[in-house]
Amino acid sequence: MTDPLLSSYTGWPVIIGSGLAGLSVALHLKQPCVLLSPHPNGEGSSTQLAQGGMAAAIGPDDTPEDHARDTLRAGAGLCDEAVVRAITQAGPSAVETLLRWGVPLARDESGSLALHLEGAHSRPRVVYAGGDQSGAYIASSLREKVRATSRIHVLTGQSLEGLHHEDGLLRGVWVSGGFIPTQCCILATGSCGGLYRHTTIPLSNKGMGIAHAALAGARLGDMEFTQFHPTSLAAGPTQTRRPLISEAVRGAGGPLVLENGERFTEELAPRDVVSRAIAAQLKDGHQVYLDGRHFKDRPFSARFPAITKACHAAGLDPDTQRLPVKPAMHYHMGGIAVDHHGRSSLPGLWANGEVACTGLHGANRLASNSLLEALVCGKWIAEDIDAHSTPFIPLRAPTPRVPFLSPTWTLNDLMEEQAGILRHEDGLRALLEKALPLARHYGPALTASFIAWAALHRKESRGSHWREDAPTSRSPQRQSWTLVDLPSA
Ligand code: SIN
């Protein structure tokens, strides 16, 4: 039984997800739309947890070309260069948009916007808010703006349960409350970090958006590239979601050290490089620490209040103690393959944010480029939808949905061990053997199968994909797949 309220949205653009990717599309659209979210205040979104901020070339000596160059270098030969140039070019106006929408970005003593330095950026380039609470500040300002915009209808307690298509077109969306007939759906469902044993993102994000899009026939791209953030806090209660210690801490001068205080890596190298360096030390039995005790001007706790709170909860004082750290799954560069308008290969289905794969990130995302991508591409998607709206064609009859099951069995340990920082053909095959039999009935297993399948086929090491059995870089070609490419279980 469909809730009559859902039926009243027949033919409207339906946005699924309430992080920056969904909010940006909603706010940029000119027509009425409905935004659906499982949680009332975007709690389940990665935006809410983002610490670093948004990268944009607004510094006095910076240019979008420099930002593009850093993005391409971090992406290790697999970025879509046209997308990189277009998004980095749009960075400065994206910052103006955030200011216009009321986001209280931090300023320095002279009143200019303050900029953090993060890994693999050639200069300070990241605007931020609340010290280390950029995502939470951005999300709350945008949610307030959404509340004040009457053409945006927000429904909470609703998650995606399926995409209905007829004759190769998206024709409706199954959500918890029933069915919405529409030929315009924007997936902004976020990450798949919850597939791993340790992640910095909300655990409920297990790649369901990718799984539903794949089942509906959409093409997926760059699925093998999963980014591990080098510094999650390795202390406190054993838990799957690990508190992040922002790259801005290393950007402010905090070194990574071993037990004896010795440095062992270039702290601001691209993330994949730093994560592998830490993983190698941990494998050798060392403990790795981030030392934030010696900042000039202001102590750690004044610069990074949210991280300080997380450290206190784990019984650590970052002003006086070194912080034990460990890499944790943080961001998926792959996802639903989209073009420069955010369109997937299934007409009527757009994707934005981490669930999408635009080609901006290549094999390794440059820090703080994801909020920029979500904001800028959200605008492009809205413009595309407003420019091409067509009257709703009545449905033949929505086929009954075949829901994914929710088994209690979990893949997290296998994903961590076989599709983590270091990979090997044998382990990837073992993962695929376990995941594939469940893939048609269990969304996380379908997404995991695509990650394993893509990683198996990339017989080289590049960016965040490191094969112990193929340690050199060989083929700078992007891979993409649809459901029919997966072997049947
Ligand atoms: C961080 O603050 O280190 C995370 C920023 C990002 O993932 O882009």
Side-chain angles (χ1 to χ4, degrees), residues 51-52 118 229 244-248 271 330 365 367-370:
Q51 294 178 353
E118 293 187 4
H229 194 290
L244 180 70
I245 304 183
S246 175
E247 211 153 276
R271 275 189 190 164
H330 182 61
R365 179 179 63 100
S368 291
N369 264 356
S370 41

Side-chain angles (χ1 to χ4, degrees), residues 31-109:
Q31 60 189 290
C33 62
V34 56
L35 187 145
L36 297 141
S37 159
H39 307 284
N41 286 309
E43 293 96 343
S45 85
S46 301
T47 300
Q48 191 69 25
L49 297 174
Q51 294 178 353
M54 188 176 86
I58 59 161
D61 55 348
D62 203 359
T63 65
E65 290 70 35
D66 287 348
H67 186 180
R69 195 170 44 248
D70 292 346
T71 301
L72 291 166
R73 197 178 299 131
L78 281 202
C79 299
D80 179 326
E81 193 166 335
V83 170
V84 170
R85 296 208 179 279
I87 292 179
T88 50
Q89 200 70 42
S93 68
V95 173
E96 279 165 28
T97 302
L98 287 186
L99 292 170
R100 201 172 60 247
W101 287 350
V103 180
L105 295 175
R107 295 187 179 270
D108 60 22
E109 302 77 37

